[in-house]
Protein backbone atom coordinates (compact mmCIF):
# COMPACT_ATOMS: atom_id res chain seq x y z
CA UNK A 1 0.00 0.00 0.00
CA UNK A 2 1.31 3.49 -0.80
CA UNK A 3 1.87 5.99 1.96
CA UNK A 4 -1.11 7.96 0.64
CA UNK A 5 -3.47 4.99 0.84
CA UNK A 6 -2.16 4.06 4.25
CA UNK A 7 -2.73 7.61 5.49
CA UNK A 8 -6.23 7.91 4.06
CA UNK A 9 -7.25 4.52 5.43
CA UNK A 10 -9.41 5.13 8.54
CA UNK A 11 -9.20 8.90 8.19
CA UNK A 12 -11.98 10.62 10.08
CA UNK A 13 -13.33 12.96 7.41
CA UNK A 14 -15.18 15.06 10.02
CA UNK A 15 -11.74 16.48 10.85
CA UNK A 16 -11.92 18.30 7.50
CA UNK A 17 -13.30 21.58 8.80
CA UNK A 18 -12.40 25.28 9.01
CA UNK A 19 -10.68 24.99 5.62
CA UNK A 20 -8.30 22.19 6.67
CA UNK A 21 -8.01 19.25 4.27
CA UNK A 22 -6.62 15.93 5.49
CA UNK A 23 -6.47 14.64 1.93
CA UNK A 24 -4.29 17.53 0.78
CA UNK A 25 -1.98 17.04 3.76
CA UNK A 26 -1.77 13.29 3.05
CA UNK A 27 -1.00 13.89 -0.62
CA UNK A 28 1.80 16.26 0.28
CA UNK A 29 3.31 13.91 2.88
CA UNK A 30 3.17 11.21 0.22
CA UNK A 31 4.84 13.41 -2.43
CA UNK A 32 7.70 14.34 -0.09
CA UNK A 33 8.18 10.69 0.90
CA UNK A 34 9.03 9.88 -2.72
CA UNK A 35 12.06 12.18 -2.71
CA UNK A 36 15.14 10.22 -1.67
CA UNK A 37 13.41 6.86 -1.20
CA UNK A 38 15.34 3.99 0.42
CA UNK A 39 14.94 0.25 -0.32
CA UNK A 40 13.48 -0.22 3.19
CA UNK A 41 10.65 2.22 2.44
CA UNK A 42 12.23 5.18 4.22
CA UNK A 43 13.63 8.54 3.15
CA UNK A 44 17.19 9.73 2.78
CA UNK A 45 17.56 13.46 2.39
CA UNK A 46 20.81 14.70 3.87
CA UNK A 47 21.27 18.36 4.72
CA UNK A 48 22.44 20.33 1.63
CA UNK A 49 21.89 17.33 -0.63
CA UNK A 50 20.11 17.29 -3.97
CA UNK A 51 17.25 15.42 -2.32
CA UNK A 52 16.80 18.04 0.38
CA UNK A 53 16.84 20.71 -2.30
CA UNK A 54 14.23 18.87 -4.37
CA UNK A 55 11.99 18.54 -1.33
CA UNK A 56 12.29 22.29 -0.69
CA UNK A 57 11.58 23.11 -4.34
CA UNK A 58 8.39 21.07 -4.17
CA UNK A 59 7.23 22.80 -0.99
CA UNK A 60 8.11 26.17 -2.55
CA UNK A 61 5.74 25.41 -5.44
CA UNK A 62 2.95 24.71 -2.95
CA UNK A 63 3.82 27.85 -1.01
CA UNK A 64 3.53 29.96 -4.15
CA UNK A 65 0.25 28.29 -5.10
CA UNK A 66 -1.03 29.18 -1.64
CA UNK A 67 -0.15 32.82 -2.32
CA UNK A 68 2.92 33.07 -0.11
CA UNK A 69 5.85 35.31 -0.92
CA UNK A 70 8.76 32.87 -1.10
CA UNK A 71 12.41 33.64 -0.34
CA UNK A 72 15.47 31.49 0.35
CA UNK A 73 18.51 32.61 2.34
CA UNK A 74 22.20 31.71 1.93
CA UNK A 75 21.86 28.77 4.30
CA UNK A 76 19.11 27.32 2.12
CA UNK A 77 16.36 28.18 4.62
CA UNK A 78 13.05 28.76 2.88
CA UNK A 79 10.50 31.35 4.04
CA UNK A 80 6.95 31.62 2.73
CA UNK A 81 5.39 34.85 3.96
CA UNK A 82 1.71 35.61 4.37
CA UNK A 83 1.09 39.31 4.86
CA UNK A 84 -0.90 40.13 7.99
CA UNK A 85 -3.29 43.05 8.49
CA UNK A 86 -0.61 44.91 10.39
CA UNK A 87 2.63 43.91 8.72
CA UNK A 88 4.74 46.26 10.84
CA UNK A 89 4.22 43.98 13.86
CA UNK A 90 6.80 41.24 14.56
CA UNK A 91 5.96 38.06 12.60
CA UNK A 92 4.98 34.62 13.71
CA UNK A 93 7.18 31.90 12.29
CA UNK A 94 6.10 28.30 12.03
CA UNK A 95 7.67 25.29 10.33
CA UNK A 96 10.32 22.61 10.66
CA UNK A 97 12.71 20.78 8.31
CA UNK A 98 12.64 18.41 5.31
CA UNK A 99 16.07 16.78 5.64
CA UNK A 100 16.27 13.33 7.21
CA UNK A 101 18.69 10.93 8.82
CA UNK A 102 19.94 8.10 6.56
CA UNK A 103 16.94 5.80 6.03
CA UNK A 104 14.65 8.04 8.07
CA UNK A 105 10.87 8.23 8.18
CA UNK A 106 8.28 10.42 6.49
CA UNK A 107 6.98 12.55 9.37
CA UNK A 108 9.98 13.86 11.31
CA UNK A 109 10.26 17.36 9.84
CA UNK A 110 7.82 17.20 6.90
CA UNK A 111 4.82 17.17 9.27
CA UNK A 112 5.86 20.48 10.85
CA UNK A 113 6.38 22.15 7.48
CA UNK A 114 3.21 20.78 5.90
CA UNK A 115 1.05 21.42 8.97
CA UNK A 116 2.16 25.07 8.83
CA UNK A 117 1.36 25.22 5.13
CA UNK A 118 -2.02 23.59 5.73
CA UNK A 119 -2.86 26.41 8.17
CA UNK A 120 -2.21 28.89 5.35
CA UNK A 121 -4.35 26.82 2.96
CA UNK A 122 -7.18 26.76 5.50
CA UNK A 123 -7.05 30.54 5.92
CA UNK A 124 -7.04 30.97 2.17
CA UNK A 125 -10.20 28.91 1.97
CA UNK A 126 -12.00 30.69 4.78
CA UNK A 127 -10.74 34.16 3.86
CA UNK A 128 -9.01 34.69 7.20
CA UNK A 129 -6.15 37.18 7.39
CA UNK A 130 -4.01 37.10 10.53
CA UNK A 131 -3.19 40.32 12.28
CA UNK A 132 0.57 39.76 11.99
CA UNK A 133 2.67 38.36 9.16
CA UNK A 134 2.92 34.59 9.37
CA UNK A 135 5.94 32.89 7.79
CA UNK A 136 6.17 29.20 6.99
CA UNK A 137 9.81 28.18 7.44
CA UNK A 138 11.86 25.23 6.21
CA UNK A 139 15.15 25.10 8.08
CA UNK A 140 18.10 23.43 6.30
CA UNK A 141 19.98 20.46 7.74
CA UNK A 142 18.21 20.02 11.06
CA UNK A 143 19.41 16.46 11.56
CA UNK A 144 23.09 17.22 10.96
CA UNK A 145 23.73 13.69 9.69
CA UNK A 146 26.22 14.89 7.11
CA UNK A 147 28.49 17.31 8.97
CA UNK A 148 27.89 15.99 12.49
CA UNK A 149 26.40 19.27 13.62
CA UNK A 150 22.64 19.58 13.49
CA UNK A 151 20.28 22.54 13.43
CA UNK A 152 22.49 24.28 10.90
CA UNK A 153 19.78 26.36 9.20
CA UNK A 154 18.28 27.69 12.40
CA UNK A 155 21.73 28.45 13.81
CA UNK A 156 22.53 30.41 10.65
CA UNK A 157 19.33 32.42 11.17
CA UNK A 158 20.06 33.32 14.80
CA UNK A 159 23.79 33.74 14.08
CA UNK A 160 24.68 31.37 16.91
CA UNK A 161 27.31 29.63 14.86
CA UNK A 162 31.07 29.67 14.71
CA UNK A 163 31.42 30.35 11.02
CA UNK A 164 35.01 29.26 10.53
CA UNK A 165 34.46 26.01 12.41
CA UNK A 166 31.30 25.36 10.41
CA UNK A 167 32.92 26.10 7.02
CA UNK A 168 35.73 23.65 7.69
CA UNK A 169 33.58 20.74 8.78
CA UNK A 170 34.13 17.68 6.58
CA UNK A 171 31.60 14.97 5.68
CA UNK A 172 32.47 11.27 5.36
CA UNK A 173 33.27 11.75 1.65
CA UNK A 174 35.86 14.43 2.44
CA UNK A 175 33.70 17.34 1.22
CA UNK A 176 33.97 20.46 3.34
CA UNK A 177 30.90 22.37 4.43
CA UNK A 178 31.89 25.37 2.30
CA UNK A 179 32.27 23.11 -0.77
CA UNK A 180 28.84 21.63 -0.04
CA UNK A 181 27.43 25.16 0.25
CA UNK A 182 28.82 26.03 -3.18
CA UNK A 183 27.50 22.83 -4.70
CA UNK A 184 24.14 23.83 -3.24
CA UNK A 185 24.29 27.20 -4.99
CA UNK A 186 25.37 29.38 -2.09
CA UNK A 187 28.69 30.48 -0.59
CA UNK A 188 30.29 31.57 2.66
CA UNK A 189 29.27 35.24 2.32
CA UNK A 190 25.69 34.40 1.50
CA UNK A 191 25.64 31.95 4.38
CA UNK A 192 26.66 34.68 6.83
CA UNK A 193 23.90 36.91 5.47
CA UNK A 194 21.30 34.34 6.57
CA UNK A 195 21.52 35.86 10.06
CA UNK A 196 18.29 37.69 10.83
CA UNK A 197 17.26 40.43 13.20
CA UNK A 198 15.26 38.30 15.62
CA UNK A 199 13.40 41.35 16.91
CA UNK A 200 11.26 40.98 13.80
CA UNK A 201 9.98 37.68 15.20
CA UNK A 202 7.24 37.52 17.82
CA UNK A 203 7.24 33.76 18.25
CA UNK A 204 8.24 30.49 16.60
CA UNK A 205 5.89 27.53 16.87
CA UNK A 206 6.77 24.06 15.59
CA UNK A 207 4.65 20.97 15.11
CA UNK A 208 6.72 17.78 15.36
CA UNK A 209 6.17 14.09 15.92
CA UNK A 210 6.71 13.11 19.55
CA UNK A 211 9.40 10.45 18.93
CA UNK A 212 8.35 8.90 22.24
CA UNK A 213 5.38 7.03 23.69
CA UNK A 214 3.76 9.42 26.15
CA UNK A 215 0.89 10.48 23.90
CA UNK A 216 0.26 6.89 22.95
CA UNK A 217 0.09 5.98 26.64
CA UNK A 218 -2.28 8.88 27.30
CA UNK A 219 -4.27 7.96 24.15
CA UNK A 220 -4.20 11.57 22.94
CA UNK A 221 -3.48 12.80 19.39
CA UNK A 222 -1.36 15.82 20.32
CA UNK A 223 0.41 17.21 23.36
CA UNK A 224 2.21 20.25 24.74
CA UNK A 225 6.00 20.44 24.91
CA UNK A 226 7.32 21.85 28.20
CA UNK A 227 10.99 22.23 27.28
CA UNK A 228 13.67 20.93 24.94
CA UNK A 229 16.72 19.00 26.12
CA UNK A 230 19.99 20.54 24.99
CA UNK A 231 22.14 18.14 23.00
CA UNK A 232 25.87 17.80 23.28
CA UNK A 233 28.00 15.99 20.70
CA UNK A 234 31.64 15.04 21.13
CA UNK A 235 34.02 13.22 18.85
CA UNK A 236 36.51 10.93 20.58
CA UNK A 237 39.73 9.76 18.88
CA UNK A 238 41.51 6.75 20.28
CA UNK A 239 45.00 6.26 18.83
CA UNK A 240 46.76 2.97 19.44
CA UNK A 241 49.19 1.05 17.24
CA UNK A 242 48.14 -0.82 14.13
CA UNK A 243 49.89 -4.16 13.69
CA UNK A 244 49.66 -7.56 12.06
CA UNK A 245 46.85 -9.63 13.57
CA UNK A 246 48.97 -12.78 13.20
CA UNK A 247 52.41 -11.60 14.27
CA UNK A 248 51.56 -9.39 17.28
CA UNK A 249 51.20 -11.33 20.56
CA UNK A 250 48.13 -10.55 22.69
CA UNK A 251 50.24 -9.02 25.47
CA UNK A 252 51.96 -6.61 23.09
CA UNK A 253 49.03 -4.76 21.57
CA UNK A 254 47.68 -1.23 21.80
CA UNK A 255 44.30 -1.87 20.26
CA UNK A 256 42.21 1.27 19.72
CA UNK A 257 39.01 -0.66 19.03
CA UNK A 258 39.15 -2.74 22.21
CA UNK A 259 39.70 0.53 24.10
CA UNK A 260 36.73 2.10 22.32
CA UNK A 261 34.60 -0.94 23.18
CA UNK A 262 35.38 -0.63 26.87
CA UNK A 263 34.58 3.07 26.67
CA UNK A 264 31.25 2.49 24.89
CA UNK A 265 30.17 -0.01 27.55
CA UNK A 266 31.13 2.47 30.26
CA UNK A 267 29.18 5.30 28.60
CA UNK A 268 26.04 3.18 28.76
CA UNK A 269 26.25 3.05 32.57
CA UNK A 270 26.86 6.78 33.21
CA UNK A 271 23.49 8.55 32.62
CA UNK A 272 21.83 6.60 35.46
CA UNK A 273 24.33 8.20 37.85
CA UNK A 274 23.02 11.66 36.87
CA UNK A 275 19.23 11.69 36.39
CA UNK A 276 16.29 9.70 35.05
CA UNK A 277 16.08 11.93 31.96
CA UNK A 278 19.79 11.91 31.05
CA UNK A 279 20.90 9.82 28.06
CA UNK A 280 24.19 9.09 26.27
CA UNK A 281 24.69 7.24 22.99
CA UNK A 282 27.56 6.15 20.78
CA UNK A 283 25.94 5.79 17.37
CA UNK A 284 28.75 6.26 14.89
CA UNK A 285 32.32 5.06 14.71
CA UNK A 286 35.14 4.70 12.22
CA UNK A 287 37.82 2.05 12.57
CA UNK A 288 41.19 2.45 10.87
CA UNK A 289 42.63 0.79 8.95
CA UNK A 290 39.51 -1.40 9.17
CA UNK A 291 41.15 -4.55 7.83
CA UNK A 292 40.33 -8.17 8.71
CA UNK A 293 43.94 -9.01 9.64
CA UNK A 294 45.04 -5.67 11.13
CA UNK A 295 44.93 -4.63 14.78
CA UNK A 296 42.86 -1.41 14.81
CA UNK A 297 45.22 1.54 15.26
CA UNK A 298 42.65 4.33 15.24
CA UNK A 299 39.04 4.71 16.25
CA UNK A 300 36.96 7.85 15.88
CA UNK A 301 33.56 7.79 17.51
CA UNK A 302 30.76 10.18 18.41
CA UNK A 303 28.97 10.49 21.73
CA UNK A 304 25.57 12.20 21.91
CA UNK A 305 24.64 13.37 25.42
CA UNK A 306 21.36 15.00 26.50
CA UNK A 307 19.29 16.12 29.45
CA UNK A 308 16.54 18.68 30.05
CA UNK A 309 18.54 20.20 32.89
CA UNK A 310 21.69 21.97 31.77
CA UNK A 311 23.69 21.38 34.93
CA UNK A 312 22.97 17.64 34.90
CA UNK A 313 23.74 17.41 31.21
CA UNK A 314 27.10 19.08 31.73
CA UNK A 315 27.90 16.81 34.70
CA UNK A 316 27.31 13.82 32.45
CA UNK A 317 29.57 15.33 29.78
CA UNK A 318 32.35 15.58 32.38
CA UNK A 319 31.88 11.93 33.41
CA UNK A 320 32.12 10.81 29.78
CA UNK A 321 35.27 12.88 29.23
CA UNK A 322 36.84 11.36 32.32
CA UNK A 323 35.94 7.82 31.24
CA UNK A 324 37.53 8.32 27.81
CA UNK A 325 40.85 9.52 29.24
CA UNK A 326 40.96 6.96 32.07
CA UNK A 327 40.21 3.94 29.91
CA UNK A 328 42.64 5.09 27.22
CA UNK A 329 45.44 5.73 29.74
CA UNK A 330 45.00 2.29 31.31
CA UNK A 331 45.45 0.71 27.91
CA UNK A 332 48.34 2.89 26.74
CA UNK A 333 46.14 4.46 24.08
CA UNK A 334 45.98 8.18 23.37
CA UNK A 335 42.58 9.87 23.65
CA UNK A 336 41.63 13.17 22.09
CA UNK A 337 38.23 14.82 22.39
CA UNK A 338 36.69 17.38 20.04
CA UNK A 339 33.49 19.10 21.11
CA UNK A 340 31.02 19.52 18.22
CA UNK A 341 27.87 20.85 19.78
CA UNK A 342 26.86 22.17 23.21
CA UNK A 343 23.41 23.70 23.24
CA UNK A 344 21.59 24.82 26.38
CA UNK A 345 18.16 23.30 27.03
CA UNK A 346 15.21 25.60 26.27
CA UNK A 347 12.22 25.98 28.62
CA UNK A 348 8.85 26.88 27.09
CA UNK A 349 6.95 29.80 28.64
CA UNK A 350 4.09 28.92 30.95
CA UNK A 351 1.67 31.36 29.28
CA UNK A 352 2.25 29.71 25.88
CA UNK A 353 1.65 26.27 27.37
CA UNK A 354 -1.58 27.67 28.91
CA UNK A 355 -2.76 28.96 25.54
CA UNK A 356 -2.10 25.58 23.95
CA UNK A 357 -3.93 23.91 26.80
CA UNK A 358 -7.11 25.89 26.12
CA UNK A 359 -6.88 25.13 22.39
CA UNK A 360 -6.49 21.42 23.13
CA UNK A 361 -9.42 21.47 25.51
CA UNK A 362 -11.61 23.08 22.87
CA UNK A 363 -11.13 19.84 20.88
CA UNK A 364 -11.82 17.67 23.93
CA UNK A 365 -8.15 16.73 24.12
CA UNK A 366 -6.79 16.31 27.60
CA UNK A 367 -3.43 18.13 27.78
CA UNK A 368 -0.35 15.92 28.05
CA UNK A 369 2.83 17.76 29.01
CA UNK A 370 5.99 16.35 27.46
CA UNK A 371 9.63 17.41 27.79
CA UNK A 372 11.43 16.92 24.47
CA UNK A 373 14.54 14.78 24.66
CA UNK A 374 15.27 15.46 21.01
CA UNK A 375 16.69 18.78 19.83
CA UNK A 376 14.65 20.80 17.35
CA UNK A 377 14.99 24.07 15.44
CA UNK A 378 12.66 25.51 18.10
CA UNK A 379 15.49 24.95 20.57
CA UNK A 380 17.83 27.23 18.60
CA UNK A 381 15.18 29.89 18.00
CA UNK A 382 14.30 29.57 21.70
CA UNK A 383 17.55 31.26 22.66
CA UNK A 384 16.34 34.43 20.93
CA UNK A 385 12.54 34.47 20.81
CA UNK A 386 9.63 32.79 22.61
CA UNK A 387 8.92 29.33 21.18
CA UNK A 388 6.13 26.80 21.48
CA UNK A 389 5.96 23.19 20.31
CA UNK A 390 3.11 20.84 19.60
CA UNK A 391 3.83 17.12 19.51
CA UNK A 392 1.79 14.66 17.45
CA UNK A 393 1.50 11.05 18.60
CA UNK A 394 4.16 8.63 17.23
CA UNK A 395 3.19 4.99 16.81
CA UNK A 396 5.25 2.89 19.24
CA UNK A 397 7.43 5.98 19.78
CA UNK A 398 9.49 5.03 16.72
CA UNK A 399 11.39 7.68 14.76
CA UNK A 400 14.49 8.07 12.57
CA UNK A 401 13.27 4.86 10.97
CA UNK A 402 11.09 3.98 7.94
CA UNK A 403 8.55 2.59 10.45
CA UNK A 404 7.96 6.08 11.87
CA UNK A 405 4.18 6.58 11.83
CA UNK A 406 1.62 9.18 12.82
CA UNK A 407 -1.99 8.65 11.72
CA UNK A 408 -3.55 11.24 9.44
CA UNK A 409 -6.12 11.93 12.17
CA UNK A 410 -3.33 12.89 14.56
CA UNK A 411 -1.56 14.93 11.87
CA UNK A 412 -4.76 16.85 11.16
CA UNK A 413 -5.37 17.46 14.86
CA UNK A 414 -1.92 19.03 14.98
CA UNK A 415 -2.94 21.36 12.12
CA UNK A 416 -6.10 22.49 13.90
CA UNK A 417 -4.25 23.10 17.15
CA UNK A 418 -1.48 25.00 15.36
CA UNK A 419 -4.02 27.10 13.45
CA UNK A 420 -6.11 28.06 16.47
CA UNK A 421 -2.98 28.78 18.49
CA UNK A 422 -1.54 31.11 15.83
CA UNK A 423 -4.90 32.86 15.40
CA UNK A 424 -4.92 33.60 19.09
CA UNK A 425 -1.26 34.71 19.28
CA UNK A 426 -1.55 36.80 16.13
CA UNK A 427 -4.09 39.14 17.74
ZN1 LIG B 1 12.88 16.63 13.33
Amino acid sequence: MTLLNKLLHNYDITLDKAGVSGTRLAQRLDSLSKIGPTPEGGSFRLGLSLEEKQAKELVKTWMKEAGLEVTEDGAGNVFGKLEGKNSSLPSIWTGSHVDSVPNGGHFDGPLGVLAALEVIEAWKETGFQPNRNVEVVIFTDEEGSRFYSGLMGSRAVTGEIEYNVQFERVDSEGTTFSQALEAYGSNKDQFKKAKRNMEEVELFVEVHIEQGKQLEKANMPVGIVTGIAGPYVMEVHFSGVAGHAGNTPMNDRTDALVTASEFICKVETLPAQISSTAVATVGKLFVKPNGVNVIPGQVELFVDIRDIDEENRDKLVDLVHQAAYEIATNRGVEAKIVEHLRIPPVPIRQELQEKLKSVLESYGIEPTYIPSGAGHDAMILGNKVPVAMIFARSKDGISHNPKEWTTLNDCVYSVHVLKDFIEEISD
Side-chain angles (χ1 to χ4, degrees), residues 372-397:
S372 172
H376 299 287
D377 293 307
M379 178 179 70
I380 300 299
L381 277 282
N383 289 322
K384 301 282 181 188
V385 297
V387 291
M389 274 194 92
I390 301 156
F391 270 170
R393 172 166 47 188
S394 298
K395 187 174 187 298
D396 300 325

Side-chain angles (χ1 to χ4, degrees), residues 96-97 108-109 142-143 206 208 211 375-376 400:
S96 194
H97 59 97
D108 177 351
E142 191 271 347
E143 300 287 3
E206 180 170 7
H208 203 278
Q211 306 176 280
H376 299 287
H400 287 186

Side-chain angles (χ1 to χ4, degrees), residues 175-394:
T175 308
T176 63
F177 181 79
S178 25
Q179 286 168 333
L181 260 187
E182 272 166 34
Y184 197 79
S186 182
N187 58 44
K188 293 197 259 189
D189 284 344
Q190 290 300 320
F191 183 83
K192 286 183 180 168
K193 286 187 192 146
K195 183 175 187 301
R196 294 277 290 263
N197 174 8
M198 296 309 286
E199 277 169 18
E200 292 165 8
V201 183
E202 173 76 9
L203 169 112
F204 174 65
V205 50
E206 180 170 7
V207 166
H208 203 278
I209 57 164
E210 183 197 344
Q211 306 176 280
K213 297 181 186 172
Q214 298 209 45
L215 286 168
E216 207 168 50
K217 280 183 194 149
N219 194 24
M220 289 294 150
V222 290
I224 301 165
V225 179
T226 55
I228 311 166
Y232 171 95
V233 178
M234 68 163 97
E235 185 178 344
V236 185
H237 285 237
F238 290 115
S239 309
V241 181
H244 195 287
N247 293 338
T248 318
M250 293 311 289
N251 62 3
D252 195 23
R253 295 181 176 207
T254 317
D255 186 324
L257 183 56
V258 176
T259 309
S261 312
E262 191 182 333
F263 169 72
I264 294 166
C265 292
K266 180 74 180 177
V267 167
E268 191 195 15
T269 67
L270 297 175
Q273 296 178 21
I274 298 292
S275 78
S276 61
T277 47
V279 287
T281 310
V282 177
K284 179 159 191 159
L285 86 173
F286 298 97
V287 180
K288 288 176 193 167
N290 210 21
V292 174
N293 57 358
V294 190
I295 298 164
Q298 305 275 338
V299 171
E300 294 164 32
L301 57 82
F302 292 82
V303 194
D304 176 303
I305 300 169
R306 297 166 197 239
D307 203 351
I308 302 163
D309 180 85
E310 187 167 14
E311 206 174 303
N312 281 340
R313 195 271 317 264
D314 290 348
K315 269 188 213 159
L316 180 54
V317 167
D318 290 344
L319 285 183
V320 173
H321 273 240
Q322 247 172 47
Y325 289 122
E326 266 173 34
I327 291 166
T329 307
N330 289 341
R331 289 183 169 273
V333 165
E334 197 193 318
K336 199 178 110 195
I337 294 175
V338 183
E339 200 173 286
H340 279 287
L341 195 67
R342 188 193 281 261
I343 293 173
V346 165
I348 289 172
R349 287 184 185 179
Q350 204 61 43
E351 77 247 32
L352 295 173
Q353 294 186 42
E354 288 293 321
K355 284 209 167 80
L356 278 172
K357 176 174 178 264
S358 52
V359 173
L360 256 57
E361 282 169 348
S362 73
Y363 288 95
I365 302 167
E366 210 174 288
T368 308
Y369 295 94
I370 312 159
S372 172
H376 299 287
D377 293 307
M379 178 179 70
I380 300 299
L381 277 282
N383 289 322
K384 301 282 181 188
V385 297
V387 291
M389 274 194 92
I390 301 156
F391 270 170
R393 172 166 47 188
S394 298

Side-chain angles (χ1 to χ4, degrees), residues 105-122:
H106 305 305
F107 299 86
D108 177 351
L111 177 61
V113 171
L114 297 179
L117 188 54
E118 191 55 34
V119 169
I120 304 288
E121 297 280 6

